[in-house]
């Protein structure tokens, strides 16, 4: 990294210090590639976003000694289920079928900010990577040999020139907007309301897994366990407005509908969010390359969005390493060819199918779906095939086969 006056020249600029950007930074540090990470926030946020890590993501992080540290802060999930709350019927998906296919045959329930903290701490001692907080990108230009990123920090305008720019700045990506690209796809009509509570549902609902997608009369909810609390995804009922659904009394009524108790629930946090199924038309425009939510956003059902972004980061940094070591720049187009179809067919399509299944309201159709799932799970070959796909192992193998 060379600094001349107020300008820094580096090999790669990474915009965004979330799980995707910091994973890319860790990889580049390992390759000895100079990089500057620009993050608009002053400190890394600790908000409740993704909380599921799939087996291949843990395998990737283990290459850098990060997985064990993350596992120590999370909760192991050896099985997950789709459950009819009213009848008690359930379909349980057993991740032990992944033994021999991965070093981590389980899901890890852990907040994504914990991974960011770990990566930030590792990069604090980096020789080749700098993280600049409070840096808001305002312009990106490029030519045949370099890209130029202009950002504002502490009231001053700064410029970095680099060989390449990784846009890992999330669903509202500034860099993607500067490219003039919009994500193609749709936004689902419903709003999800995330409610956090420390109530021990596992002590009151028999046979509960740490990850549960539940049908109930006329509606649906999900329960995802972390070390210290449960994440409850709730939905407005009937003609209920979003404002009414966010009212503490409405949240209380929905939680009482899951487990009735005399005392009111202690709700630690409430956050509404809309769900999208969108993808960029391409992942690369010259020297600027998209990764993670900047490239694709999907329903959180199945927990594949953040994981897919980390997989993007690993794939892309492999190719940047080769190109910066002398390989033809056209190799970067292989990144789009490998990752975009997988995001479209494996991540977005699976998440859409998961969401559609849980939005089913017809009781007879739910029964038929449950019988079909239970029959599939009773066949070891089909059971393994399903968890191989839902755990994102199949998608990664398909991506690797694309040339």
């Amino acid at each position: 990294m060379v600094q001349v006056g107020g300008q820094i020249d580096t090999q790669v600029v990474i915009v965004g210090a979330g799980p995707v950007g910091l994973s890319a930074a860790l990889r580049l540090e390992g390759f000895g590639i100079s990089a500057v990470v620009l993050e608009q926030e002053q400190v890394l946020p600790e908000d409740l976003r993704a909380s599921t890590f799939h087996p291949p993501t843990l395998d990737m992080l283990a290459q850098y000694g990060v997985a064990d540290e993350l596992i120590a802060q999370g909760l192991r999930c050896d099985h997950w289920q789709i459950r009819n709350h009213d009848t008690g019927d359930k379909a349980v998906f057993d991740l032990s079928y992944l033994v021999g296919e991965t070093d981590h045959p389980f899901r890890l329930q852990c907040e994504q900010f914990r991974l960011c903290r770990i990566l930030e701490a590792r990069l604090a001692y980096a020789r080749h990577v700098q993280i600049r907080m409070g840096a808001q990108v305002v312009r990106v230009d490029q030519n045949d040999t370099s890209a130029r990123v202009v950002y504002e920090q502490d009231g001053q305008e700064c410029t970095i020139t680099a060989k390449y720019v990784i846009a890992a700045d999330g669903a509202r990506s500034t860099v993607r907007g500067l490219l003039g690209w919009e994500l193609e796809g749709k936004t689902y009509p419903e709003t999800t309301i995330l409610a956090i509570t420390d109530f021990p549902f596992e002590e009151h609902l028999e046979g509960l897994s740490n990850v549960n997608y539940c049908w109930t009369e006329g509606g649906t909810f999900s329960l995802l366990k972390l070390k210290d609390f449960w994440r409850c995804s709730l939905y407005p009922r009937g003609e209920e407005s979003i404002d009414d659904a966010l009212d503490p009394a409405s949240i209380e009524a929905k939680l009482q509908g899951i487990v009735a108790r005399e005392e009111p629930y202690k709700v630690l946090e409430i956050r509404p969010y809309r769900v999208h199924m969108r993808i960029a038309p391409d992942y690369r425009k010259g020297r600027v390359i998209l990764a993670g939510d900047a490239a694709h956003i999907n329903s959180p059902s199945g927990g594949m969005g953040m994981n897919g972004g980390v997989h993007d980061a690993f794939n892309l940094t492999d190719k940047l390493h080769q190109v910066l070591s002398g390989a033809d720049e056209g190799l970067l187009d292989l990144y789009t060819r490998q990752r975009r179809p997988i995001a479209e067919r494996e991540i977005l399509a699976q998440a859409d199918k998961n969401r559609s299944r849980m939005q089913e309201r017809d009781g007879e159709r739910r029964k038929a779906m449950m019988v079909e799932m239970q029959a599939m799970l009773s066949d070891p070959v089909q059971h393994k095939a399903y968890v191989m796909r839902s755990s994102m192992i199949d998608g990664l193998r398909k991506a690797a086969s694309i040339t």
Side-chain angles (χ1 to χ4, degrees), residues 1-2 9 39 47 62 74 92 109-110 114 120 122 127-128 137-138 171 181 183 225 228 243 246 290 303 330 336 367:
M1 204 175 296
V2 180
D9 292 324
E39 169 55 49
D47 51 354
V92 180
Q109 294 304 110
C110 185
R114 297 187 185 278
E120 182 186 38
R122 294 292 179 93
R127 295 177 57 197
H128 308 286
V137 172
V138 295
W181 282 354
L183 297 181
K225 182 78 169 70
D228 301 318
D243 287 342
L246 288 170
L290 309 182
T336 296
K367 286 181 184 178

Short mmCIF file of all heavy atoms in Angstrom, two decimals, residues 1-2 9 39 47 62 74 92 109-110 114 120 122 127-128 137-138 171 181 183 225 228 243 246 290 303 330 336 367:
data_model
loop_
_atom_site.label_atom_id
_atom_site.label_comp_id
_atom_site.label_asym_id
_atom_site.label_seq_id
_atom_site.Cartn_x
_atom_site.Cartn_y
_atom_site.Cartn_z
N MET A 1 0.86 -1.18 0.00
CA MET A 1 0.00 0.00 0.00
C MET A 1 0.90 1.24 0.00
O MET A 1 1.82 1.34 0.79
CB MET A 1 -0.88 0.00 1.24
CG MET A 1 -2.16 0.78 1.12
SD MET A 1 -3.16 0.58 2.60
CE MET A 1 -3.51 -1.16 2.56
N VAL A 2 0.63 2.16 -0.92
CA VAL A 2 1.46 3.34 -1.06
C VAL A 2 0.63 4.58 -0.81
O VAL A 2 -0.46 4.73 -1.37
CB VAL A 2 2.08 3.40 -2.47
CG1 VAL A 2 2.95 4.65 -2.60
CG2 VAL A 2 2.88 2.15 -2.77
N ASP A 9 -2.94 4.38 -2.76
CA ASP A 9 -3.03 3.41 -3.84
C ASP A 9 -2.94 2.02 -3.24
O ASP A 9 -2.03 1.73 -2.47
CB ASP A 9 -1.91 3.63 -4.85
CG ASP A 9 -2.08 4.94 -5.61
OD1 ASP A 9 -3.23 5.31 -5.88
OD2 ASP A 9 -1.06 5.59 -5.89
N GLU A 39 -16.13 1.61 5.44
CA GLU A 39 -17.41 1.34 6.09
C GLU A 39 -18.03 2.66 6.53
O GLU A 39 -17.39 3.45 7.22
CB GLU A 39 -17.21 0.43 7.30
CG GLU A 39 -18.42 0.29 8.21
CD GLU A 39 -19.69 -0.16 7.50
OE1 GLU A 39 -19.63 -1.15 6.73
OE2 GLU A 39 -20.73 0.49 7.71
N ASP A 47 -26.79 -5.05 15.39
CA ASP A 47 -28.22 -5.28 15.20
C ASP A 47 -28.48 -6.75 14.86
O ASP A 47 -27.59 -7.51 14.52
CB ASP A 47 -28.78 -4.36 14.11
CG ASP A 47 -27.96 -4.42 12.82
OD1 ASP A 47 -26.91 -5.07 12.82
OD2 ASP A 47 -28.39 -3.82 11.82
N ALA A 62 -13.16 -22.01 8.94
CA ALA A 62 -12.21 -22.84 9.67
C ALA A 62 -10.81 -22.77 9.07
O ALA A 62 -9.82 -22.97 9.77
CB ALA A 62 -12.69 -24.29 9.70
N GLY A 74 -21.89 -19.36 19.80
CA GLY A 74 -23.21 -19.66 19.27
C GLY A 74 -23.82 -20.92 19.86
O GLY A 74 -23.39 -21.43 20.90
N VAL A 92 -38.82 -33.40 10.76
CA VAL A 92 -37.53 -33.04 11.37
C VAL A 92 -36.40 -33.40 10.40
O VAL A 92 -36.27 -34.54 9.98
CB VAL A 92 -37.33 -33.77 12.71
CG1 VAL A 92 -35.99 -33.38 13.34
CG2 VAL A 92 -38.48 -33.44 13.67
N GLN A 109 -26.31 -21.43 15.23
CA GLN A 109 -27.16 -20.27 15.48
C GLN A 109 -26.32 -19.25 16.25
O GLN A 109 -25.98 -19.45 17.42
CB GLN A 109 -28.39 -20.68 16.27
CG GLN A 109 -29.35 -21.60 15.52
CD GLN A 109 -29.81 -21.01 14.22
OE1 GLN A 109 -29.44 -21.46 13.15
NE2 GLN A 109 -30.61 -19.95 14.30
N CYS A 110 -26.00 -18.16 15.57
CA CYS A 110 -25.13 -17.14 16.16
C CYS A 110 -25.33 -15.85 15.37
O CYS A 110 -25.40 -15.87 14.14
CB CYS A 110 -23.67 -17.60 16.08
SG CYS A 110 -22.50 -16.49 16.90
N ARG A 114 -21.34 -11.13 15.55
CA ARG A 114 -20.25 -11.78 16.28
C ARG A 114 -19.13 -12.20 15.31
O ARG A 114 -17.94 -12.12 15.65
CB ARG A 114 -20.78 -12.97 17.08
CG ARG A 114 -21.77 -12.56 18.16
CD ARG A 114 -22.17 -13.71 19.06
NE ARG A 114 -23.19 -13.30 20.00
CZ ARG A 114 -22.97 -12.65 21.14
NH1 ARG A 114 -21.72 -12.36 21.48
NH2 ARG A 114 -23.96 -12.32 21.93
N GLU A 120 -12.97 -8.38 12.54
CA GLU A 120 -12.38 -7.07 12.81
C GLU A 120 -11.16 -7.21 13.73
O GLU A 120 -10.12 -6.56 13.51
CB GLU A 120 -13.41 -6.13 13.44
CG GLU A 120 -12.88 -4.73 13.71
CD GLU A 120 -13.88 -3.87 14.46
OE1 GLU A 120 -14.58 -4.40 15.35
OE2 GLU A 120 -13.95 -2.67 14.17
N ARG A 122 -9.23 -9.84 14.09
CA ARG A 122 -8.14 -10.47 13.34
C ARG A 122 -7.45 -9.44 12.44
O ARG A 122 -6.22 -9.42 12.32
CB ARG A 122 -8.68 -11.61 12.48
CG ARG A 122 -9.24 -12.80 13.24
CD ARG A 122 -8.13 -13.54 13.97
NE ARG A 122 -8.66 -14.68 14.72
CZ ARG A 122 -8.72 -15.93 14.23
NH1 ARG A 122 -8.30 -16.18 13.01
NH2 ARG A 122 -9.21 -16.89 14.98
N ARG A 127 -1.23 -6.92 8.02
CA ARG A 127 -0.11 -6.23 7.39
C ARG A 127 -0.53 -5.56 6.09
O ARG A 127 0.09 -4.59 5.65
CB ARG A 127 1.03 -7.21 7.11
CG ARG A 127 1.66 -7.83 8.34
CD ARG A 127 2.72 -8.83 7.94
NE ARG A 127 3.74 -8.20 7.09
CZ ARG A 127 4.59 -8.89 6.33
NH1 ARG A 127 4.53 -10.22 6.30
NH2 ARG A 127 5.49 -8.26 5.59
N HIS A 128 -1.58 -6.09 5.46
CA HIS A 128 -1.92 -5.64 4.11
C HIS A 128 -3.29 -4.97 4.03
O HIS A 128 -3.63 -4.43 2.98
CB HIS A 128 -1.90 -6.84 3.15
CG HIS A 128 -0.63 -7.63 3.20
ND1 HIS A 128 0.56 -7.18 2.67
CD2 HIS A 128 -0.35 -8.85 3.75
CE1 HIS A 128 1.50 -8.08 2.87
NE2 HIS A 128 0.99 -9.10 3.53
N VAL A 137 -18.80 6.37 0.70
CA VAL A 137 -18.43 6.45 -0.71
C VAL A 137 -19.41 7.37 -1.44
O VAL A 137 -20.63 7.26 -1.29
CB VAL A 137 -18.42 5.06 -1.35
CG1 VAL A 137 -18.22 5.15 -2.87
CG2 VAL A 137 -17.32 4.19 -0.73
N VAL A 138 -18.87 8.27 -2.27
CA VAL A 138 -19.71 9.20 -3.01
C VAL A 138 -19.52 9.10 -4.52
O VAL A 138 -20.37 9.54 -5.30
CB VAL A 138 -19.48 10.66 -2.57
CG1 VAL A 138 -19.90 10.86 -1.12
CG2 VAL A 138 -18.01 11.08 -2.76
N ALA A 171 -27.84 -4.47 0.84
CA ALA A 171 -29.01 -4.41 -0.04
C ALA A 171 -29.23 -3.02 -0.63
O ALA A 171 -29.76 -2.89 -1.73
CB ALA A 171 -30.25 -4.87 0.73
N TRP A 181 -27.19 0.37 -11.62
CA TRP A 181 -27.89 -0.93 -11.65
C TRP A 181 -28.98 -0.98 -10.59
O TRP A 181 -28.82 -0.46 -9.48
CB TRP A 181 -26.91 -2.07 -11.38
CG TRP A 181 -26.06 -2.42 -12.55
CD1 TRP A 181 -26.16 -1.93 -13.81
CD2 TRP A 181 -24.98 -3.36 -12.56
NE1 TRP A 181 -25.21 -2.49 -14.61
CE2 TRP A 181 -24.47 -3.38 -13.87
CE3 TRP A 181 -24.40 -4.17 -11.59
CZ2 TRP A 181 -23.40 -4.19 -14.25
CZ3 TRP A 181 -23.35 -4.98 -11.96
CH2 TRP A 181 -22.85 -5.00 -13.27
N LEU A 183 -31.62 -3.96 -8.71
CA LEU A 183 -31.86 -5.39 -8.55
C LEU A 183 -33.17 -5.75 -9.22
O LEU A 183 -34.18 -5.08 -9.07
CB LEU A 183 -31.89 -5.77 -7.07
CG LEU A 183 -30.60 -5.56 -6.28
CD1 LEU A 183 -30.79 -6.02 -4.84
CD2 LEU A 183 -29.43 -6.30 -6.91
N LYS A 225 -33.61 -20.33 17.96
CA LYS A 225 -32.95 -20.20 19.26
C LYS A 225 -31.52 -19.74 19.08
O LYS A 225 -30.79 -20.23 18.22
CB LYS A 225 -32.95 -21.56 19.98
CG LYS A 225 -32.34 -21.55 21.37
CD LYS A 225 -33.30 -20.98 22.38
CE LYS A 225 -32.84 -21.21 23.82
NZ LYS A 225 -31.66 -20.42 24.20
N ASP A 228 -28.90 -16.91 24.18
CA ASP A 228 -29.54 -16.21 25.29
C ASP A 228 -30.99 -15.85 25.06
O ASP A 228 -31.64 -15.31 25.95
CB ASP A 228 -28.76 -14.93 25.61
CG ASP A 228 -27.31 -15.22 25.98
OD1 ASP A 228 -27.08 -16.19 26.72
OD2 ASP A 228 -26.41 -14.49 25.51
N ASP A 243 -48.71 -0.90 11.62
CA ASP A 243 -48.64 -0.15 12.88
C ASP A 243 -49.34 -0.89 14.00
O ASP A 243 -48.84 -0.96 15.13
CB ASP A 243 -49.26 1.24 12.70
CG ASP A 243 -48.37 2.17 11.89
OD1 ASP A 243 -47.16 1.87 11.76
OD2 ASP A 243 -48.89 3.18 11.38
N LEU A 246 -47.34 -3.89 15.15
CA LEU A 246 -46.17 -3.54 15.94
C LEU A 246 -46.52 -3.09 17.35
O LEU A 246 -45.64 -2.91 18.18
CB LEU A 246 -45.39 -2.43 15.22
CG LEU A 246 -44.63 -2.85 13.97
CD1 LEU A 246 -44.12 -1.63 13.22
CD2 LEU A 246 -43.48 -3.78 14.31
N LEU A 290 -19.70 -6.96 -7.54
CA LEU A 290 -20.67 -7.03 -6.45
C LEU A 290 -20.57 -8.36 -5.71
O LEU A 290 -20.28 -9.40 -6.31
CB LEU A 290 -22.09 -6.88 -6.99
CG LEU A 290 -22.41 -5.71 -7.92
CD1 LEU A 290 -23.88 -5.74 -8.30
CD2 LEU A 290 -22.05 -4.39 -7.26
N GLY A 303 -32.17 -19.27 5.95
CA GLY A 303 -30.90 -18.70 6.40
C GLY A 303 -29.78 -18.74 5.38
O GLY A 303 -28.63 -19.00 5.72
N GLY A 330 -10.17 -11.87 -17.64
CA GLY A 330 -11.44 -12.52 -17.99
C GLY A 330 -11.87 -13.56 -16.98
O GLY A 330 -13.05 -13.94 -16.94
N THR A 336 -19.08 -14.37 -11.91
CA THR A 336 -20.52 -14.19 -12.17
C THR A 336 -21.14 -15.48 -12.67
O THR A 336 -22.24 -15.86 -12.23
CB THR A 336 -20.74 -13.07 -13.21
OG1 THR A 336 -20.29 -11.83 -12.67
CG2 THR A 336 -22.23 -12.93 -13.54
N LYS A 367 -51.74 -30.44 5.44
CA LYS A 367 -51.66 -31.87 5.80
C LYS A 367 -50.94 -32.66 4.73
O LYS A 367 -50.07 -33.49 5.01
CB LYS A 367 -53.06 -32.43 6.02
CG LYS A 367 -53.74 -32.00 7.29
CD LYS A 367 -55.12 -32.65 7.39
CE LYS A 367 -55.88 -32.17 8.61
NZ LYS A 367 -57.24 -32.76 8.68
#
